Amino acid sequence: MHEIPFGEVLEKLRGLNAHRVLIQTPEGLKREAQELADFLEENGIEAIISGDINYGACDPADSEAKRLGCDALIHLGHSYMQLHLEVPTIFVPAFAKVDVVPALEKNLEEIRKLGKRIVLVTTAQHIHGLERAKEFLEKNGFEVLIGRGDSRVSWPGQVLGCNFSAAKVDADGVLFIGAGYFHPIGVAMAVKKPTLAINPYSGDAIWMDTEAERLVRKRWAQIAKAMDAQRFGVITSTKKGQLRLAEAKRVVKLLREYGKYARLLTMNHISYQALEGFDFDAYVVVACPRVPIDDYENWRKPVLTPREVEILLGLREDYEFDEILGAERREDEPIGISLRH
Amino acid sequence: MHEIPFGEVLEKLRGLNAHRVLIQTPEGLKREAQELADFLEENGIEAIISGDINYGACDPADSEAKRLGCDALIHLGHSYMQLHLEVPTIFVPAFAKVDVVPALEKNLEEIRKLGKRIVLVTTAQHIHGLERAKEFLEKNGFEVLIGRGDSRVSWPGQVLGCNFSAAKVDADGVLFIGAGYFHPIGVAMAVKKPTLAINPYSGDAIWMDTEAERLVRKRWAQIAKAMDAQRFGVITSTKKGQLRLAEAKRVVKLLREYGKYARLLTMNHISYQALEGFDFDAYVVVACPRVPIDDYENWRKPVLTPREVEILLGLREDYEFDEILGAERREDEPIGISLRH
């Protein structure tokens, strides 16, 4: 389904005079990672594959690459995120081989329910289809906006599981193109506007507003469950793009000001099982916002986001999604592989 | 059960002029880690607790401490291992509050079956009782030897799950003092001499030879299962004390010389679930030897140690435990906390 440009990667590595490289891959590109490793070794470059589960560009294996004596890291399937990287890193996005227009065509009547002025967002896999989608929709009478997004993302219109800055544009509604629930639910929760998700593979269209409302109700229930908690573990990840230390300290300080016991914890991959044995009544995850939201049913203790702590303490009334926001974004990444030092 | 010398830790931190510290703890000392964090903060030192599961001194969180801006790492429950540490690290062993002599007294007749000349080994928790055990046994007519061990261990007589160098002494049999199965089974497999394990808590004595034989038979069955494998993933951990890169490369080279496909993988915590999706017929773990031996029943594919690969390829006939050996050991650690830069 995805084509990795082996030749271009090799060229970049030769430009770096790299002799040993670590390859990092998301779940869906493991076979491709193996093929790339084979190809590179046929061309005289030693290749090691990271078997660790990779959660995104926020989770680069650059420190591991350095520790393994690698000259470079190849990060498959995600676009560049602004982080301090310890070795030169080649970001190789994996663009889906699917035309987004037929699914839009099929669902034109649903899309019209969003209003006339719509903002178009998608994930990295479909970013190369965004201009075509815009043209198609404009031909059909829409005013189509594509938000620039902040420095966590690489391209206009791109959203991450933790960042919907590209959707924050003055429009009647949001049209998300892509598969899966998490991204468009995040959009609906973050933007609080009518949000329609169109899956370019299946052609399905789903209104996310009801889903988002249901999720928000579940989050209010988590907050209620944490009401009596006295002892809070405030967890940040040591993954570079999730290490929100200042925010975690702010939450610790806030909880202590309100008479709670709070302690800062760090974990590499945040796992509720590994927390058994600590003496906390509730946890706050100040790392990937997906952790408390996707996974909370598995935790034995209530688990909140920083903004939910503010609600708990009476400092905020409206529910807000815990985004990780960046600074202003200066320039687009190339649509293709990019090398970052 | 364990007493952490809070005052001494604080003194060492003050000596370092440390303002922020990361505390790393094994499963059994999580409450103590929280109490230590509270104590340090009462004394003006900011404390963060690592929630990651810690597998031993081979798995220090020094890189994480550095990334978090900590001036020092406190590593609870294990003794120092010779590694390149990125921040000053305070090793705080946790000595068990149990007298080892009553259990020896109760089992004198069993101990006599080992022979007259015995070598005494234990884990870090009981190392402070070793001299008392030696005196008691000598009074009862034994010639008691305590091996120096190599540079992976801190004290004479100490064994790790991956290192039994202290047991390799010319004696009739080995007496292991401590709880659990893994360490004494490792001793019996590594030393191939009569091995009696005495549990100082329960007073039980168990002959490990039969257990070790049974385990070795299971390992032969794993080797047989891997006989038809053509594609091998050779895995090393990125944990500093388990990153056996040269050994992993030797295994890759060896497998390739024998016509197999082999590919070097690295993982932080080695997990069979995370490997699903790769295209390998079998795995070789060149990291903690406990992984393939304790855990192999959970893997969908055969999983071998490097020495088992040699058997598979017909290069070795006898079964040998995969120890991680060190260099010559120059001096003992103090019995107590030790600071390493």
Side-chain angles (χ1 to χ4, degrees):
Chain A
M1 302 297 261
H2 300 94
E3 207 168 80
I4 308 295
F6 287 6
E8 277 178 67
V9 172
L10 180 63
E11 207 175 292
K12 290 273 187 216
L13 288 173
R14 287 200 168 141
L16 289 168
N17 196 25
H19 299 292
R20 188 194 290 174
V21 68
L22 181 66
I23 302 173
Q24 191 179 21
T25 173
E27 194 59 28
L29 297 174
K30 281 178 166 174
R31 298 292 174 113
E32 287 84 348
Q34 272 187 265
E35 285 163 19
L36 177 59
D38 294 345
F39 169 80
L40 293 178
E41 291 210 343
E42 281 159 21
N43 286 280
I45 293 174
E46 191 184 334
I48 306 175
I49 298 172
S50 167
D52 289 324
I53 292 170
N54 174 257
Y55 293 89
C58 54
D59 183 17
D62 58 321
S63 302
E64 288 85 343
K66 196 177 172 192
R67 190 176 297 174
L68 292 160
C70 291
D71 312 306
L73 170 67
I74 299 173
H75 185 102
L76 297 182
H78 304 115
S79 65
Y80 173 65
M81 182 175 285
Q82 280 190 18
L83 296 171
H84 167 70
L85 298 167
E86 296 175 41
V87 295
T89 300
I90 298 170
F91 289 84
V92 186
F95 295 125
K97 289 188 195 163
V98 61
D99 184 358
V100 298
V101 170
L104 298 179
E105 199 155 24
K106 182 182 161 198
N107 294 289
L108 260 182
E109 288 319 301
E110 284 303 299
I111 300 172
R112 287 201 207 286
K113 296 179 190 164
L114 280 171
K116 192 176 175 300
R117 185 178 162 89
I118 61 176
V119 54
L120 205 54
V121 292
T122 186
T123 56
Q125 294 100 291
H126 304 292
I127 205 79
H128 60 311
L130 213 56
E131 276 306 318
R132 242 173 85 68
K134 183 171 187 270
E135 276 168 36
F136 170 81
L137 291 165
E138 282 174 346
K139 267 190 214 141
N140 283 278
F142 292 94
E143 186 183 342
V144 181
L145 303 164
I146 294 181
R148 177 151 187 79
D150 70 22
S151 65
R152 292 275 285 184
V153 302
S154 294
W155 303 293
Q158 184 188 6
V159 292
L160 307 176
C162 60
N163 184 297
F164 308 99
S165 53
K168 289 174 182 168
V169 169
D170 177 28
D172 302 324
V174 189
L175 179 59
F176 170 87
I177 298 174
Y181 268 71
F182 185 80
H183 288 93
I185 282 194
V187 170
M189 286 170 79
V191 176
K192 298 176 182 172
K193 277 184 192 163
T195 301
L196 183 66
I198 292 189
N199 183 326
Y201 300 102
S202 65
D204 292 341
I206 310 169
W207 285 95
M208 300 312 303
D209 312 66
T210 329
E211 303 286 335
E213 272 167 36
R214 208 169 54 178
L215 194 52
V216 168
R217 278 201 300 276
K218 286 184 183 175
R219 298 312 306 164
W220 280 102
Q222 277 287 297
I223 297 167
K225 256 184 83 179
M227 274 301 173
D228 295 329
Q230 289 305 317
R231 301 172 66 81
F232 288 78
V234 178
I235 311 167
T236 179
S237 168
T238 48
K239 296 182 189 304
K240 281 190 178 168
Q242 301 180 13
L243 209 177
R244 303 159 72 189
L245 200 53
E247 174 69 353
K249 286 186 178 186
R250 186 185 72 82
V251 173
V252 167
K253 191 161 167 279
L254 201 58
L255 284 162
R256 289 181 181 172
E257 279 167 12
Y258 279 73
K260 311 286 190 181
Y261 171 91
R263 168 75 44 222
L264 185 54
L265 303 175
T266 65
M267 304 183 84
N268 176 12
H269 169 57
I270 294 171
S271 135
Y272 58 92
Q273 294 106 327
L275 293 166
E276 297 288 329
F278 283 116
D279 179 25
F280 295 107
D281 305 324
Y283 290 99
V284 186
V285 171
V286 192
C288 178
R290 298 187 67 138
V291 174
I293 289 183
D294 288 9
D295 221 25
Y296 73 95
E297 279 162 334
N298 294 320
W299 292 58
R300 279 203 312 120
K301 306 279 174 74
V303 52
L304 304 179
T305 69
R307 298 191 185 193
E308 290 165 358
V309 170
E310 292 172 5
I311 293 175
L312 183 86
L313 298 177
L315 298 168
R316 177 189 287 276
E317 289 194 349
D318 290 339
Y319 189 86
E320 287 219 32
F321 188 83
D322 174 39
E323 283 185 83
I324 307 183
L325 297 173
E328 193 191 335
R329 198 165 68 83
R330 302 280 173 191
E331 53 185 329
D332 297 349
E333 287 292 297
I335 292 274
I337 76 172
S338 73
L339 170 63
R340 289 293 176 152
H341 285 267
Chain B
M1 304 296 263
H2 300 94
E3 208 167 80
I4 307 295
F6 287 7
E8 277 178 67
V9 172
L10 180 63
E11 206 174 293
K12 291 271 186 214
L13 288 172
R14 288 200 168 141
L16 289 168
N17 194 24
H19 299 291
R20 188 193 289 174
V21 67
L22 181 65
I23 302 173
Q24 191 179 21
T25 172
E27 194 59 29
L29 296 174
K30 280 177 167 173
R31 299 290 174 113
E32 288 84 349
Q34 272 187 264
E35 285 162 19
L36 177 60
D38 294 344
F39 169 80
L40 293 177
E41 291 210 343
E42 281 158 22
N43 285 281
I45 294 174
E46 190 184 335
I48 306 174
I49 298 173
S50 166
D52 289 324
I53 292 171
N54 174 256
Y55 293 91
C58 55
D59 183 17
D62 58 319
S63 302
E64 288 85 345
K66 196 178 171 190
R67 189 175 298 173
L68 291 161
C70 292
D71 312 305
L73 170 67
I74 299 173
H75 185 102
L76 297 183
H78 304 116
S79 64
Y80 173 65
M81 183 176 284
Q82 281 192 15
L83 296 171
H84 168 70
L85 297 167
E86 295 175 41
V87 295
T89 301
I90 298 170
F91 288 85
V92 186
F95 296 125
K97 289 187 196 165
V98 60
D99 184 359
V100 298
V101 170
L104 298 179
E105 198 155 24
K106 182 183 161 197
N107 293 291
L108 262 181
E109 288 318 302
E110 283 304 299
I111 301 173
R112 288 201 206 285
K113 295 178 190 163
L114 281 171
K116 192 175 175 302
R117 186 178 160 88
I118 61 176
V119 53
L120 204 54
V121 292
T122 186
T123 56
Q125 295 101 290
H126 304 290
I127 205 79
H128 60 312
L130 214 55
E131 276 305 318
R132 242 173 86 66
K134 182 171 187 270
E135 275 168 37
F136 169 80
L137 291 165
E138 282 173 346
K139 265 189 215 144
N140 283 277
F142 291 95
E143 186 182 343
V144 180
L145 304 164
I146 295 181
R148 177 150 187 79
D150 69 23
S151 65
R152 293 275 285 182
V153 301
S154 293
W155 303 293
Q158 185 189 5
V159 292
L160 308 175
C162 60
N163 184 298
F164 308 99
S165 53
K168 290 177 181 164
V169 168
D170 177 28
D172 302 324
V174 189
L175 179 59
F176 171 86
I177 297 175
Y181 268 71
F182 185 80
H183 287 94
I185 283 192
V187 171
M189 285 170 80
V191 176
K192 297 176 182 170
K193 275 182 194 163
T195 301
L196 183 66
I198 291 190
N199 184 325
Y201 301 102
S202 65
D204 292 342
I206 309 170
W207 286 94
M208 300 312 301
D209 313 66
T210 328
E211 303 286 335
E213 274 167 34
R214 208 169 54 179
L215 193 54
V216 168
R217 279 200 300 274
K218 286 184 181 174
R219 298 313 305 165
W220 279 102
Q222 277 287 297
I223 298 167
K225 256 183 84 179
M227 274 299 173
D228 295 328
Q230 289 304 316
R231 299 172 67 82
F232 289 78
V234 178
I235 311 166
T236 180
S237 168
T238 48
K239 295 183 189 303
K240 281 191 177 167
Q242 301 180 14
L243 210 177
R244 302 159 73 188
L245 200 54
E247 175 68 354
K249 286 186 175 185
R250 186 185 71 83
V251 173
V252 167
K253 193 161 168 277
L254 200 59
L255 284 162
R256 288 179 181 173
E257 280 168 10
Y258 279 75
K260 311 287 188 180
Y261 171 91
R263 168 75 46 220
L264 186 55
L265 302 175
T266 66
M267 304 184 85
N268 176 12
H269 169 57
I270 294 172
S271 136
Y272 57 91
Q273 294 106 327
L275 293 166
E276 298 288 328
F278 283 118
D279 178 25
F280 295 108
D281 305 323
Y283 290 99
V284 185
V285 171
V286 193
C288 177
R290 297 187 68 138
V291 175
I293 289 183
D294 287 9
D295 220 24
Y296 73 95
E297 279 163 334
N298 293 320
W299 291 57
R300 280 203 313 119
K301 305 279 175 76
V303 52
L304 305 179
T305 70
R307 298 190 186 193
E308 291 165 356
V309 171
E310 293 172 4
I311 293 175
L312 183 87
L313 300 176
L315 299 168
R316 177 189 287 276
E317 288 196 350
D318 290 339
Y319 189 85
E320 287 219 31
F321 188 83
D322 174 38
E323 283 183 83
I324 309 184
L325 297 174
E328 194 192 333
R329 197 165 68 83
R330 303 279 172 192
E331 52 185 329
D332 297 349
E333 287 292 297
I335 292 276
I337 76 173
S338 72
L339 171 63
R340 290 294 178 152
H341 285 267

